């Protein structure tokens, strides 16, 4: 187990290195720069700004300096947010995005997984039809459409919830629902298909033939085996949701990390683009690594296969 963890940690470091290197050189390959504007700066002012941020150094030196600072987790100053570093932006924006993302994930799991199990147990009945119809709508409707609809109904017409901003539990309800629409529908569809597959297995019939109650069969034998696809999807989903959704955060004026990430792209804020990309890649590969570890606890058969190999 320890050797497996060490191998995966090495692979995590390699993935982060490749992502950082590719992002750095692709970003600098695009014509223009962070201080290229419609109204051109005076040549001397532009030279002074580039000298301050060391943009006039050779590209290979900029790359070596960035990687050296990255080892110390120094992501550098932001080119567009005066007096702030990329570390400050991540420290400020990530907790907000993470809190909203965690609420959306918990809601998606609490609603999507039970709905998928009920749909599978009641296959081709009205419960199955209702869940699948709701899942199709959830998968098809984009988050910005759902967010706008929620805002119109609950903030403008009914005046039950605040339309925007962040701070109280009421502010989190509509962004959470908008952000969890697709994951909830996807979890329901994923859980239904995997539960149907498990229900057709011989050991389920054997358990029923032994006289076990239907609830016990579902809890002990069905859920544990049907949940594996959901666990697989959780890794990239958590990384994606926790780092923020630009659309949802923009609609509700939430000061999260997703808004900084996208605005940094069209502002050509090199250090913010690189810093948030590295942060996201570390989060993504780290969560996938934890999901792989969790497989052994969710399904003991995976451990058995590895021992025989």
């Amino acid at each position: 187990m320890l050797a497996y963890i060490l191998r995966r940690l090495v692979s995590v470091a390699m993935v982060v290195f490749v992502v950082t290197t590719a992002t750095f050189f692709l970003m600098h390959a695009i014509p223009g720069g962070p201080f290229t504007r419609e109204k051109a700066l005076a040549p001397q002012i532009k030279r002074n700004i580039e000298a301050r941020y060391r943009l006039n150094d050779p590209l290979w030196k900029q790359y070596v300096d960035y990687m050296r600072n990255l080892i110390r987790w120094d992501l550098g100053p932001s080119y567009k947010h005066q007096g702030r570093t990329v570390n400050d932006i991540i420290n400020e924006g990530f907790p907000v995005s993470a809190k909203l993302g965690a609420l959306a994930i918990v809601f998606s799991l609490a609603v999507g997984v039970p709905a998928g199990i009920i749909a599978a147990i009641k296959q081709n009945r009205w419960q199955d039809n209702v869940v699948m119809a709701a899942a199709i709508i959830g998968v098809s409707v984009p988050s910005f459409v759902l967010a706008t609809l929620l805002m119109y109904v609950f903030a403008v017409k009914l005046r039950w919830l605040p339309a925007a901003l962040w701070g109280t539990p009421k502010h989190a309800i509509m962004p959470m629902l908008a952000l969890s629409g697709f994951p909830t529908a996807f979890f329901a569809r994923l859980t239904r298909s995997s539960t149907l597959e498990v229900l057709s297995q011989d050991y389920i019939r054997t358990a029923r033939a032994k006289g076990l109650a239907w609830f016990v069969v579902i809890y002990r034998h069905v859920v544990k085996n049907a949940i594996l696809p959901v666990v697989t999807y959780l890794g990239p989903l958590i990384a994606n949701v926790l780092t923020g959704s630009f659309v949802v955060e923009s609609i509700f004026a939430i000061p999260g990390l997703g808004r900084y990430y996208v605005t940094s792209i069209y502002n050509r804020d090199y250090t913010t683009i690189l810093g948030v990309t590295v942060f996201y890649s570390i989060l993504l590969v780290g969560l996938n690594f934890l999901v792989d570890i969790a497989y052994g606890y969710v399904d003991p058969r995976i451990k058995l296969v590895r021992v025989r190999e």
Side-chain angles (χ1 to χ4, degrees):
M1 188 66 175
L2 180 61
Y4 172 75
I5 292 175
L6 291 176
R7 285 198 304 272
R8 288 303 308 270
L9 288 176
V10 172
S11 67
V12 166
M14 291 179 64
V15 169
V16 174
F17 171 76
V18 171
V19 169
T20 305
T21 302
T23 306
F24 181 90
F25 286 105
L26 286 174
M27 192 174 56
H28 284 81
I30 301 173
F35 303 106
T36 302
R37 302 173 181 173
E38 294 180 0
K39 183 178 180 180
L41 296 172
Q44 184 59 43
I45 295 176
K46 188 176 181 181
R47 279 196 295 271
N48 291 339
I49 293 176
E50 289 179 345
R52 177 186 175 188
Y53 293 110
R54 299 183 177 178
L55 292 173
N56 52 0
D57 289 344
L59 190 59
W60 67 266
K61 189 175 186 309
Q62 294 181 43
Y63 173 71
V64 172
D65 291 340
Y66 186 83
M67 297 303 286
R68 187 185 297 124
N69 293 330
L70 180 62
I71 295 174
R72 302 194 301 270
W73 197 237
D74 179 4
L75 300 175
S78 169
Y79 294 161
K80 295 299 179 182
H81 301 278
Q82 294 295 323
R84 302 180 67 189
T85 65
V86 179
N87 297 69
D88 296 334
I89 291 174
I90 292 176
N91 292 337
E92 179 185 321
F94 179 66
V96 176
S97 296
K99 188 181 295 182
L100 175 60
L103 289 172
I105 291 169
V106 170
F107 180 85
S108 301
L109 288 173
V111 175
V113 173
I117 293 174
I118 292 172
I121 295 173
K122 303 292 184 182
Q123 186 183 15
N124 297 328
R125 298 181 184 176
W126 68 267
Q127 296 94 334
D128 185 22
N129 295 332
V130 169
V131 171
M132 285 300 97
I136 291 173
I137 294 173
V139 172
S140 306
V141 177
S143 60
F144 65 88
V145 175
L146 183 58
T148 308
L149 182 64
L150 290 171
M151 186 183 291
Y152 177 74
V153 174
F154 293 105
V156 177
K157 290 296 181 182
L158 300 177
R159 298 181 182 276
W160 289 354
L161 298 171
L165 300 179
W166 183 259
T168 66
K170 280 188 174 181
H171 287 101
I173 294 176
M174 287 195 294
M176 178 198 70
L177 293 176
L179 200 57
S180 60
F182 179 83
T184 304
F186 193 78
F187 280 144
R189 292 170 60 88
L190 204 60
T191 306
R192 178 184 180 273
S193 61
S194 58
T195 302
L196 285 175
E197 184 179 351
V198 173
L199 287 174
S200 65
Q201 299 297 315
D202 291 338
Y203 62 87
I204 298 297
R205 299 191 188 93
T206 304
R208 291 288 291 163
K210 287 167 63 179
L212 290 178
W214 188 232
F215 174 78
V216 177
V217 174
I218 295 295
Y219 177 72
R220 289 185 180 175
H221 302 288
V222 176
V223 173
K224 287 185 177 178
N225 293 295
I227 205 73
L228 274 178
V230 176
V231 175
T232 304
Y233 181 61
L234 268 180
L237 172 68
I238 292 175
N240 186 40
V241 173
L242 290 188
T243 48
S245 166
F246 168 70
V247 176
V248 174
E249 290 181 359
S250 296
I251 291 175
F252 293 102
I254 297 173
L257 189 59
R259 186 181 61 174
Y260 285 112
Y261 187 39
V262 179
T263 54
S264 67
I265 294 174
Y266 61 73
N267 283 331
R268 303 289 298 272
D269 191 347
Y270 286 167
T271 49
T272 303
I273 296 172
L274 265 174
V276 178
T277 302
V278 171
F279 180 74
Y280 177 80
S281 62
I282 291 174
L283 202 60
L284 180 61
V285 295
L287 288 170
N288 278 319
F289 168 66
L290 293 178
V291 166
D292 290 343
I293 299 295
Y295 278 153
Y297 295 96
V298 176
D299 189 352
R301 292 173 300 178
I302 295 177
K303 283 184 178 177
L304 184 62
V305 171
R306 291 192 62 82
V307 170
R308 284 178 177 174
E309 288 177 351

